[in-house]
Amino acid sequence: MDADVTDSAGPPSDPDHPAGDKPQGRSQEESGPEGVTPEDGVSQDGSPQGDARREGTAAAGKETPAAAEPGGAPAPDPDPDPDPDPAKAGSDGSGGVQTWADRPKGGTVAARKSHWLRWTALAASFLVLVAAGAGWWLYKKLDGNITTDTSAAAELKAYEKERPTPVVMDAQNILLIGSDSRAGDNSEYGRDDGGSQRSDTTILLHLAADRKSATAVSLPRDLMVEIPSCRTEDDKETREQFTQFNTAFELGGTACTIRTVERMTGIRIDHHMVVDFNGFKDMVDAVDGVEICLKAPIDDKDAHLELPAGRQTLNGEEALGYVRARKSLGNGSDTERMERQQQFLGALVNKMQSNGVLLNPTRLYPVLDAATKSLTTDPGLDSLRDLYDLVRGMRNVPTEQVQFLTVPRQPYRNDRNRDELVEPDAGDLFKQLREDRPVAVVPADELKEAQQDQERKQDGKPDDTGSESPTPTPTYSGSSAADDLCKQ
């Protein structure tokens, strides 16, 4: 009969008319400890439950007397909590009314939220692992692209006593060598002399200790210099000789070239890099080409180059032909070719900085991949971390302070097809770089005008007698990465 009362006591969603609400004490008269109904608010084990949220309902009035232990002592209360949590009451046997209205409304939402949080955390962890794995794979790929020149390091170590001592420890002097080998993929650019290497382009790059300037000095390949005795690939000793500069690379490789530069300049070379033709091409393509301006069209079959006059963007293949062309541009001299190389390198640096390549990993990766695949370095620069530290130190150098010039030289007195250093200008330049002091570059026509002005001042009467002017910064003919090739 109690079940009939429960069923007709109103909808379970009405909290003011709970099913089975009877006068106090009725449950004790009609039901024993084993006949307690859920409507009485008593669990089957006799613990008080019920709707404790409603004011005026005494939980004690619905309790079943506790069974006494032998000896007359009352049994301990199985649930001493005077204020049981109604949320814990349910159909699991813990007692209490489990109508739809009495169920905790936030439980399902909390469970679903916890479920989605777990899946979100799992997905995020998976993405982090994938990104970390991809990053590590890219790093190892770039790192593995670099070729280490251990033989040059061993050769230089054997001649350590004759090498210059560094003057400014934080400054860096790096020798950049463009290989003229026609072996392998470079065979399309000329005759292969058994894979022999020649230094087509050699640049001494000086990075100031404060990393606020970078000076790149081109060394002509036809410059007449003293080449020390060097060890060849077949472990033979060459004789010391006075000959053209690029012979050093052909005879004794990188180590011989470094020792020749150190003897000529008195500057300690800290690192070196050897780059072949394809590396240069790929770097230009990686930055989507470099813009130049031509005053006249070019048609040079030897350089694989045919270009119209005017402003245009060169791809890698065209850029390589442009910087290597000699017979069809200008007067055909190596002097003009070096100046053209310097201007193009300046435009390449400007393109990389202005487009944010050095700060954008997505755009930097193709450049690093192109550079490292055709790069041979000493052990001090043979890792991606070493190269990144080098690039990071240069990325804040203003483009106007990235300067390019050629060592002061003139036609060699005994052979007009060769060059020789102009002194004391060359010596002054080397001293400035050795001591990490600034140099300045201006276009050739401006330098000529400045020299004429200086000569006129020396011929006239001095107007500052008795006053000492600071030592002027040595100025040379050259360009900077900030120069616009289309405005010259």
Side-chain angles (χ1 to χ4, degrees), residues 316-353:
E317 186 71 32
E318 294 167 337
L320 180 60
Y322 177 73
V323 299
R324 297 195 69 253
R326 182 171 180 172
K327 299 178 181 178
S328 61
L329 294 181
N331 57 13
S333 68
D334 197 40
T335 298
E336 279 202 0
R337 189 176 72 144
M338 284 187 297
E339 292 175 352
R340 190 165 60 251
Q341 291 173 351
Q342 294 165 8
Q343 293 171 350
F344 188 87
L345 289 176
L348 176 60
V349 171
N350 194 15
K351 178 72 176 287
M352 293 179 66
Q353 288 196 347

Coordinates of all heavy atoms in Angstrom, one line a residue, residues 316-353:
G316 N 68.5 32.3 -58.8 CA 69.8 31.7 -58.4 C 70.7 31.6 -59.6 O 71.9 31.9 -59.5
E317 N 70.2 31.0 -60.7 CA 71.0 30.7 -61.8 C 71.5 32.0 -62.5 O 72.7 32.2 -62.8 CB 70.2 29.9 -62.8 CG 71.0 29.4 -64.0 CD 72.1 28.3 -63.7 OE1 71.8 27.5 -62.8 OE2 73.1 28.3 -64.4
E318 N 70.6 33.0 -62.6 CA 70.9 34.3 -63.2 C 71.9 35.0 -62.3 O 72.8 35.7 -62.8 CB 69.7 35.1 -63.4 CG 68.7 34.5 -64.4 CD 67.4 35.1 -64.4 OE1 67.0 35.7 -63.4 OE2 66.7 35.1 -65.4
A319 N 71.7 34.9 -61.0 CA 72.6 35.6 -60.0 C 74.0 35.1 -60.1 O 75.0 35.9 -60.1 CB 72.0 35.5 -58.6
L320 N 74.1 33.8 -60.2 CA 75.5 33.2 -60.3 C 76.2 33.7 -61.6 O 77.4 34.1 -61.6 CB 75.4 31.7 -60.3 CG 76.7 30.9 -60.4 CD1 77.6 31.3 -59.3 CD2 76.5 29.4 -60.5
G321 N 75.5 33.7 -62.7 CA 76.1 34.2 -63.9 C 76.4 35.7 -63.8 O 77.5 36.1 -64.3
Y322 N 75.6 36.5 -63.1 CA 75.8 37.9 -63.0 C 77.1 38.2 -62.2 O 77.9 39.0 -62.6 CB 74.6 38.5 -62.3 CG 74.8 40.0 -62.1 CD1 74.7 40.9 -63.1 CD2 75.0 40.5 -60.8 CE1 74.8 42.3 -62.9 CE2 75.1 41.8 -60.5 CZ 75.0 42.7 -61.6 OH 75.2 44.1 -61.3
V323 N 77.3 37.5 -61.1 CA 78.5 37.8 -60.2 C 79.8 37.1 -60.8 O 80.9 37.5 -60.5 CB 78.3 37.3 -58.8 CG1 77.1 38.0 -58.2 CG2 78.1 35.8 -58.7
R324 N 79.6 36.2 -61.7 CA 80.8 35.6 -62.3 C 81.2 36.1 -63.7 O 82.3 35.9 -64.2 CB 80.6 34.0 -62.4 CG 80.4 33.4 -61.1 CD 80.6 31.9 -61.2 NE 82.0 31.5 -61.4 CZ 82.4 31.1 -62.6 NH1 81.6 30.9 -63.6 NH2 83.7 30.8 -62.7
A325 N 80.2 36.8 -64.3 CA 80.5 37.3 -65.7 C 81.7 38.3 -65.6 O 81.8 39.1 -64.7 CB 79.2 38.0 -66.2
R326 N 82.5 38.2 -66.7 CA 83.7 39.0 -66.7 C 83.9 39.6 -68.1 O 84.2 40.8 -68.2 CB 84.9 38.1 -66.3 CG 86.2 38.9 -66.2 CD 87.3 38.0 -65.6 NE 88.6 38.7 -65.5 CZ 89.7 38.2 -64.9 NH1 89.6 37.1 -64.4 NH2 90.8 38.9 -64.9
K327 N 83.8 38.9 -69.1 CA 84.2 39.3 -70.4 C 83.1 40.3 -71.0 O 83.5 41.2 -71.7 CB 84.3 38.2 -71.4 CG 85.4 37.2 -71.0 CD 85.5 36.0 -71.9 CE 86.6 35.0 -71.5 NZ 86.6 33.8 -72.4
S328 N 81.9 40.1 -70.7 CA 80.8 40.9 -71.3 C 80.4 42.1 -70.5 O 79.5 42.9 -71.0 CB 79.6 40.0 -71.6 OG 79.1 39.5 -70.4
L329 N 80.9 42.3 -69.3 CA 80.5 43.4 -68.5 C 81.6 44.4 -68.2 O 82.7 43.9 -67.8 CB 79.9 42.9 -67.1 CG 78.6 42.1 -67.2 CD1 78.2 41.7 -65.8 CD2 77.5 42.9 -67.9
G330 N 81.4 45.7 -68.4 CA 82.4 46.7 -68.1 C 83.7 46.5 -69.0 O 83.6 46.2 -70.2
N331 N 84.8 46.6 -68.3 CA 86.1 46.5 -69.1 C 86.6 45.1 -69.0 O 87.8 44.9 -69.5 CB 87.1 47.5 -68.5 CG 87.4 47.3 -67.1 OD1 87.0 46.3 -66.5 ND2 88.0 48.3 -66.5
G332 N 85.9 44.2 -68.5 CA 86.3 42.8 -68.5 C 87.3 42.5 -67.4 O 87.9 41.4 -67.4
S333 N 87.6 43.4 -66.5 CA 88.6 43.2 -65.5 C 88.0 42.5 -64.2 O 86.8 42.5 -64.0 CB 89.2 44.5 -65.0 OG 88.3 45.3 -64.3
D334 N 88.9 41.9 -63.5 CA 88.5 41.2 -62.2 C 88.1 42.3 -61.2 O 87.3 42.0 -60.3 CB 89.6 40.4 -61.7 CG 89.1 39.4 -60.7 OD1 88.0 38.8 -60.9 OD2 89.8 39.2 -59.7
T335 N 88.6 43.5 -61.4 CA 88.3 44.6 -60.4 C 86.8 44.9 -60.5 O 86.1 45.0 -59.4 CB 89.1 45.9 -60.8 OG1 90.5 45.6 -60.6 CG2 88.7 47.0 -59.8
E336 N 86.3 45.1 -61.7 CA 84.8 45.4 -61.8 C 84.0 44.2 -61.4 O 82.9 44.4 -60.8 CB 84.5 45.7 -63.3 CG 84.8 47.2 -63.6 CD 84.0 47.6 -64.8 OE1 83.2 46.8 -65.4 OE2 84.2 48.8 -65.2
R337 N 84.5 43.0 -61.6 CA 83.7 41.8 -61.2 C 83.6 41.7 -59.7 O 82.5 41.4 -59.1 CB 84.3 40.5 -61.7 CG 83.5 39.3 -61.5 CD 84.1 38.1 -62.1 NE 85.3 37.7 -61.4 CZ 85.6 36.4 -61.2 NH1 84.8 35.4 -61.7 NH2 86.6 36.0 -60.5
M338 N 84.7 42.1 -59.0 CA 84.6 42.0 -57.5 C 83.7 43.1 -57.0 O 82.9 42.9 -56.0 CB 86.0 42.3 -56.9 CG 86.9 41.0 -57.0 SD 88.5 41.2 -56.2 CE 89.2 42.6 -57.1
E339 N 83.7 44.3 -57.6 CA 82.7 45.3 -57.2 C 81.3 44.9 -57.4 O 80.4 45.1 -56.6 CB 83.0 46.6 -57.9 CG 84.4 47.2 -57.6 CD 84.7 48.4 -58.4 OE1 83.9 48.7 -59.4 OE2 85.7 49.1 -58.1
R340 N 81.1 44.2 -58.5 CA 79.7 43.7 -58.8 C 79.3 42.6 -57.8 O 78.2 42.6 -57.3 CB 79.7 43.1 -60.2 CG 78.3 42.8 -60.7 CD 78.3 42.6 -62.2 NE 79.1 41.6 -62.6 CZ 80.3 41.7 -63.3 NH1 80.7 42.9 -63.6 NH2 81.0 40.7 -63.7
Q341 N 80.2 41.8 -57.4 CA 80.0 40.8 -56.4 C 79.6 41.4 -55.0 O 78.7 41.0 -54.3 CB 81.2 39.8 -56.2 CG 81.4 38.9 -57.4 CD 82.7 38.2 -57.3 OE1 83.5 38.4 -56.4 NE2 83.0 37.2 -58.2
Q342 N 80.4 42.4 -54.7 CA 80.1 43.1 -53.4 C 78.8 43.7 -53.4 O 78.0 43.6 -52.4 CB 81.2 44.1 -53.2 CG 82.6 43.6 -52.9 CD 83.7 44.6 -53.1 OE1 83.4 45.8 -53.2 NE2 84.9 44.2 -53.1
Q343 N 78.4 44.4 -54.5 CA 77.1 45.0 -54.5 C 76.0 44.0 -54.5 O 74.9 44.2 -53.8 CB 77.0 45.9 -55.8 CG 77.9 47.1 -55.8 CD 78.0 47.8 -57.2 OE1 77.4 47.2 -58.2 NE2 78.6 48.9 -57.2
F344 N 76.1 42.9 -55.1 CA 75.1 41.9 -55.1 C 75.0 41.3 -53.7 O 73.9 41.0 -53.2 CB 75.4 40.8 -56.1 CG 74.3 39.8 -56.3 CD1 73.2 40.1 -57.2 CD2 74.2 38.7 -55.5 CE1 72.2 39.2 -57.3 CE2 73.2 37.8 -55.6 CZ 72.1 38.0 -56.5
L345 N 76.1 41.0 -53.1 CA 76.1 40.4 -51.7 C 75.4 41.4 -50.7 O 74.6 41.0 -49.8 CB 77.5 40.1 -51.2 CG 78.1 38.9 -51.9 CD1 79.6 38.7 -51.4 CD2 77.4 37.6 -51.6
G346 N 75.6 42.7 -50.9 CA 75.0 43.7 -50.1 C 73.5 43.7 -50.3 O 72.7 43.8 -49.4
A347 N 73.0 43.5 -51.6 CA 71.6 43.4 -51.9 C 71.0 42.2 -51.3 O 69.8 42.2 -50.8 CB 71.4 43.5 -53.4
L348 N 71.8 41.1 -51.3 CA 71.3 39.8 -50.7 C 71.1 40.0 -49.2 O 70.1 39.5 -48.6 CB 72.3 38.7 -51.0 CG 72.0 37.3 -50.4 CD1 70.6 36.8 -50.8 CD2 73.1 36.3 -50.7
V349 N 72.1 40.6 -48.5 CA 71.9 40.8 -47.1 C 70.7 41.7 -46.8 O 70.0 41.5 -45.8 CB 73.2 41.5 -46.5 CG1 73.1 41.9 -45.1 CG2 74.4 40.5 -46.6
N350 N 70.6 42.8 -47.6 CA 69.5 43.7 -47.4 C 68.1 43.0 -47.6 O 67.2 43.2 -46.8 CB 69.6 44.9 -48.4 CG 68.7 46.0 -48.0 OD1 68.2 46.1 -46.9 ND2 68.5 46.9 -48.9
K351 N 68.0 42.1 -48.5 CA 66.8 41.3 -48.8 C 66.5 40.4 -47.6 O 65.3 40.4 -47.2 CB 67.0 40.5 -50.0 CG 65.8 39.6 -50.4 CD 64.6 40.4 -50.9 CE 63.5 39.5 -51.3 NZ 63.7 38.8 -52.6
M352 N 67.5 39.8 -47.0 CA 67.3 38.9 -45.9 C 66.8 39.7 -44.7 O 66.0 39.2 -43.9 CB 68.5 38.1 -45.6 CG 68.9 37.2 -46.7 SD 70.4 36.3 -46.3 CE 69.9 35.3 -44.9
Q353 N 67.4 40.9 -44.4 CA 67.0 41.6 -43.2 C 65.7 42.4 -43.4 O 64.9 42.4 -42.5 CB 68.1 42.6 -42.9 CG 69.4 42.0 -42.3 CD 70.3 43.0 -41.7 OE1 70.1 44.2 -41.8 NE2 71.3 42.5 -40.9

